[in-house]
Amino acid sequence: MSQILTNLVSNSIKFSSAGGTIEIGSIVRPIGVAFYVRDYGRGIPAGRLTDVLKPFVQVSDPFVRDEGGVGLGLAICKSLIDAMSGTIDIESELGKGTTVYVMLPAWPRSSVAK
C-alpha cells in the first residue's frame, strides 16, 4: 500500500503547478480500505484514462515534457492493486485535475503472517 500511495502522490505533485493542492483521503471498513489521491493539475484526456495504466504510456508529448519519469508509476500501482484483488478507478478532466480511487479488500486474519 505504501508503494501505491507513493506513486500516486508523486504523480499528483509532478502534474500540479507550484503551490497546487493535493488531497489524500481514506476510509477503513471491515470489508477493506478505500483511499483516493486528488490533484488540481493538468488532467488526463478522457480517451487516455485506461492507457495510463499500461507500462511506459505517457499522456504528454515526449518532445515537450517537463516532467521526469518513464510511464511506470500507474502501471505499477495497477499491478500491486490487482495482486491484492483490489480495484483502481481514475476520474479526470483536462485543466481541472485527476482523482485516483483505490479499493483494497480486507484479508482474512488467517492469511496474515504472524
Side-chain angles (χ1 to χ4, degrees):
M1 201 158 89
S2 174
Q3 186 64 56
I4 295 166
L5 275 168
T6 298
N7 288 359
L8 295 179
V9 170
S10 175
N11 275 0
S12 288
I13 292 169
K14 189 185 309 183
F15 295 106
S16 293
S17 31
T21 300
I22 295 169
E23 296 176 28
I24 303 169
S26 67
I27 185 165
V28 178
R29 298 285 170 103
I31 61 168
V33 62
F35 60 91
Y36 71 90
V37 176
R38 174 179 297 138
D39 67 59
Y40 299 90
R42 63 176 66 165
I44 302 167
R48 303 293 308 274
L49 290 175
T50 55
D51 293 341
V52 296
L53 294 171
K54 298 174 186 170
F56 304 109
V57 171
Q58 297 176 327
V59 173
S60 299
D61 182 339
F63 298 108
V64 296
R65 286 182 56 83
D66 54 354
E67 305 82 19
V70 294
L72 288 174
L74 288 175
I76 290 169
C77 288
K78 177 153 179 29
S79 293
L80 292 170
I81 293 163
D82 288 348
M84 293 184 274
S85 300
T87 59
I88 182 171
D89 293 302
I90 302 174
E91 292 178 358
S92 190
E93 189 173 343
L94 285 176
K96 296 197 175 183
T98 301
T99 305
V100 179
Y101 299 94
V102 175
M103 172 61 189
L104 300 173
W107 294 1
R109 289 195 184 273
S110 61
S111 68
V112 177
K114 297 183 183 200

